Each structure stands twice: as C-alpha cells, then as structure tokens.
C-alpha cells in the first residue's frame, strides 16, 4: 500500500505545528513528516507534541543527524515514543548536513562508518538486546533499555543520497528516506543499491520501506514557485523533479515515484508556501483520492 504524507517544514515557527498536525489528523492524511534541521526545531520534541495533539496520523522524523546524538539517547527517546504512541512514530537517522555538523563541532572523519555503527546499535537496542560495542565512534558497555518498544514499530529508517550510503541503508536500516532531488529514475537506482546492500549483508530480499519526498506547489503561481526552489537547490537541470499544479498533476507525479518503487511519497511544500494548513488539506482531500493505494 502506498502511503501519502506531507512535510511540516521547520522554516515555520514551532507554534504553527499544532494547527497543521490537527488538520492532518482530521483530514485523514496518513503521515506528517518533520525535520530536525539546524538550527530550527528539534525532531523528537516536535514529534512528541504532534503525536500528543493527534489521534491517528503517523508522525515521521526524517531525519535525526547521528553526529549530534549518542545512540543510547536516540534509543531511549525512540522507545518512549513507540510505547506512548504505538504504531504512529516513524524515525529516521542520517549523516546530517556536514557544514552544520562542523558548526557545532560534531563533524566526523567517516560519516558512513558512524551511521553504520549507530544504525546497528540502535536497531539492537530497540529490539530489546543488551549491547556491548567498541566501534570507531559508537561505544556501549552492557547497555539495554529498561523500556524497549512493546510492539513492532516499523524499524529504523535512514536518509541517504550517494551509492555508499544507499547500500548502507540496505545493509543496516529497515527503510530508506530519499530527498526531493530524487526523480523516478533515481528511485529505481536507489532501490537497486539498497538491495545490493541487503544482499551483501546476507539480509536477502525482504521488505525495505522506501520513503521519497516530492517537492510540491499548487495554486496559480505553482510552476514558478517550484522552478525557483529547484533553482535555489541547484537541481533545476534534473528532469522530472517535483509536482506543480492541481491535484491531478501532483497525483501523476506521485504515481511515477510509486511505479519506480516508492512505498511512501511525502509532499514537500516549497519554503515560501503561503498556506501550510491549506497545503495539508490539499494533500489529504484532493491528492489522496487520486493516488492508487495497492502496490
């Protein structure tokens, strides 16, 4: 089944989250995604608030930068959310933006090594295991959670862009988050690289969730706003990125990503979106009915 979501971008003040989250819940949107971007809003704190304000919508954090976080803290916070809101929290981790990591003194020599160590330890802790590891970056001595998740929680997702990181998500994560600079062909390539990573780790061809952001604009100036943001991000030359226009046009862009292998497509408004609540309503009430649910 294809899930449809929307992003609450951290360019919005935190106090705006309550109205957007409640609208997403009331409108029947399946997923609301949040970002832990430096130096805006914390991922766990905003996710906890959004979950507490709502009853049904799943809340994703895509993603928590691992250089900022001891893996034990990540596991404790994730387990708390999974126990308080069973089946509704989706957590992703990743390298973080390296310039930001440098600003706070957290940049590491090998981001891939750190992410691998963090993922393996985090998944083990959330599975209720007692973990001792002496890695290059992650070091745990006989650590186990007192309150691991009680029910299956969907695993840990990881953000990735390059081939090494994509293979790593197949090796060590339960799902992969792709940025809005990924077109349908990029989704196909990502799926292949993920499977290569799974095979190299002896994990076979089991389920691996692929979440893809889709930069989206609607309204009379939709095409211009989309084009401006793609240009600002330096990806204007990448073909078939984003969706602009009415619900039909956006649903077609979603369907292309789904056909390429996406399990969840998350509509990402442009940074200058004038009506965040209206955007969520558009996703839930206009686009969702046009997106086929079976996979």
């Amino acid at each position: 089944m294809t899930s449809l979501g929307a992003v609450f971008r951290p360019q919005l003040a935190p106090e705006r989250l309550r109205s957007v989250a409640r609208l997403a819940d009331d409108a029947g949107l399946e997923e609301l995604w949040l970002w832990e971007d430096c130096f805006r809003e914390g991922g766990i704190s905003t996710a906890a608030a959004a979950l507490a304000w709502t009853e049904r919508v799943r809340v994703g954090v895509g993603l928590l930068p691992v250089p900022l976080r001891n893996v034990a803290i990540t596991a404790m916070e994730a387990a708390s959310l999974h126990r308080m809101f069973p089946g509704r929290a989706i957590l992703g981790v990743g390298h973080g933006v390296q310039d930001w990591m440098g600003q706070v003194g957290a940049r590491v020599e090998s981001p891939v090594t750190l992410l691998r160590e963090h993922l393996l330890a985090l998944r083990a802790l959330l599975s209720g295991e007692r973990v001792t590891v002496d890695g290059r970056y992650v070091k745990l001595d006989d650590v186990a959670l007192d309150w691991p998740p009680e029910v299956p929680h969907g695993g840990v997702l990881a953000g990735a862009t390059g081939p090494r990181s994509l293979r790593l998500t197949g090796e060590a994560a339960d799902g992969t988050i792709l940025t809005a600079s990924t077109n349908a062909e990029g989704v196909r390539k990502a799926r292949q690289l993920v499977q290569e990573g799974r095979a190299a780790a002896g994990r076979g061809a089991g389920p691996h969730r692929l979440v893809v952001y889709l930069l989206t604009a609607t309204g009379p100036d939709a095409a211009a706003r989309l084009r401006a943001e793609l240009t600002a991000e330096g990806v204007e030359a990448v073909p078939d990125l984003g969706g602009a226009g009415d619900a039909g046009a956006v649903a077609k862009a979603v369907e292309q990503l789904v056909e390429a292998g996406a399990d969840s497509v998350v509509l990402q408004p442009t940074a200058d979106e004038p009506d965040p609540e209206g955007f969520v309503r558009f996703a839930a009430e206009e686009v969702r009915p046009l997106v086929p649910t079976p996979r």
Side-chain angles (χ1 to χ4, degrees):
M1 176 178 176
T2 304
S3 296
L4 189 72
V7 178
F8 175 89
R9 292 184 61 146
Q11 284 88 352
L12 296 170
E15 58 268 25
R16 296 290 302 274
L17 176 59
R18 184 172 185 171
S19 64
V20 173
R22 286 188 165 178
L23 194 152
D25 205 42
D26 292 342
L29 191 66
E30 293 141 278
E31 297 176 0
L32 180 67
W33 283 77
L34 312 171
W35 297 346
E36 186 167 83
D37 271 4
C38 295
F39 300 96
R40 295 184 173 113
E41 295 158 8
I44 296 294
S45 56
T46 50
L51 288 162
W53 287 326
T54 57
E55 298 291 336
R56 294 174 297 276
V57 66
R58 296 189 297 275
V59 176
V61 182
L63 45 80
L64 302 169
V66 297
L68 297 180
R69 294 178 167 273
N70 183 286
V71 69
I73 293 295
T74 307
M76 291 160 58
E77 293 183 325
S80 296
L81 290 183
H82 289 313
R83 289 182 71 105
M84 290 188 292
F85 308 100
R88 294 183 55 215
I90 310 167
L91 296 181
V93 298
H95 301 306
V97 176
Q98 294 307 295
D99 287 346
W100 290 341
M101 300 303 101
Q103 279 185 271
V104 298
R107 190 167 187 165
V108 298
E109 186 177 0
S110 178
V112 171
T113 300
L114 170 57
L115 184 57
R116 176 183 289 107
E117 292 180 357
H118 194 104
L119 279 167
L120 294 173
L122 179 58
R123 290 175 61 232
L125 289 168
L126 292 176
S127 296
E129 299 178 25
R130 186 169 294 276
V131 181
T132 295
V133 60
D134 185 19
R136 181 175 177 181
Y137 299 110
V138 173
K139 301 180 185 295
L140 298 173
D141 182 9
D142 195 35
V143 175
L145 296 176
D146 282 11
W147 300 103
E150 290 187 301
V151 297
H153 53 80
V156 179
L157 281 61
T161 52
R164 287 183 65 202
S165 294
L166 285 164
R167 290 190 183 97
L168 171 59
T169 66
E171 171 193 339
D174 301 297
T176 302
I177 303 170
L178 303 175
T179 70
S181 61
T182 311
N183 60 13
E185 182 58 29
V187 172
R188 293 187 187 93
K189 291 179 179 177
R191 179 66 79 180
Q192 179 181 347
L193 290 165
V194 165
Q195 293 304 326
E196 289 176 7
R198 290 186 63 88
R203 300 181 71 189
H208 185 99
R209 187 179 184 199
L210 211 59
V211 178
V212 187
Y213 291 116
L214 176 68
L215 189 63
T216 304
T218 189
D221 57 348
R225 287 172 40 233
L226 177 66
R227 185 168 54 253
E229 183 135 335
L230 292 173
T231 300
E233 294 294 325
V235 293
E236 70 277 9
V238 179
D240 301 321
L241 278 186
D246 61 12
V250 173
K252 183 177 180 180
V254 171
E255 189 170 354
Q256 289 174 342
L257 297 177
V258 172
E259 290 175 350
D263 299 299
S264 179
V265 177
V266 184
L267 305 188
Q268 174 183 319
T270 56
D272 62 353
E273 167 58 50
D275 182 7
E277 289 83 2
F279 183 88
V280 167
R281 186 178 293 108
F282 168 75
E285 297 179 356
E286 299 185 44
V287 180
R288 170 75 270 182
L290 302 178
V291 176
T293 56
R295 277 294 312 275

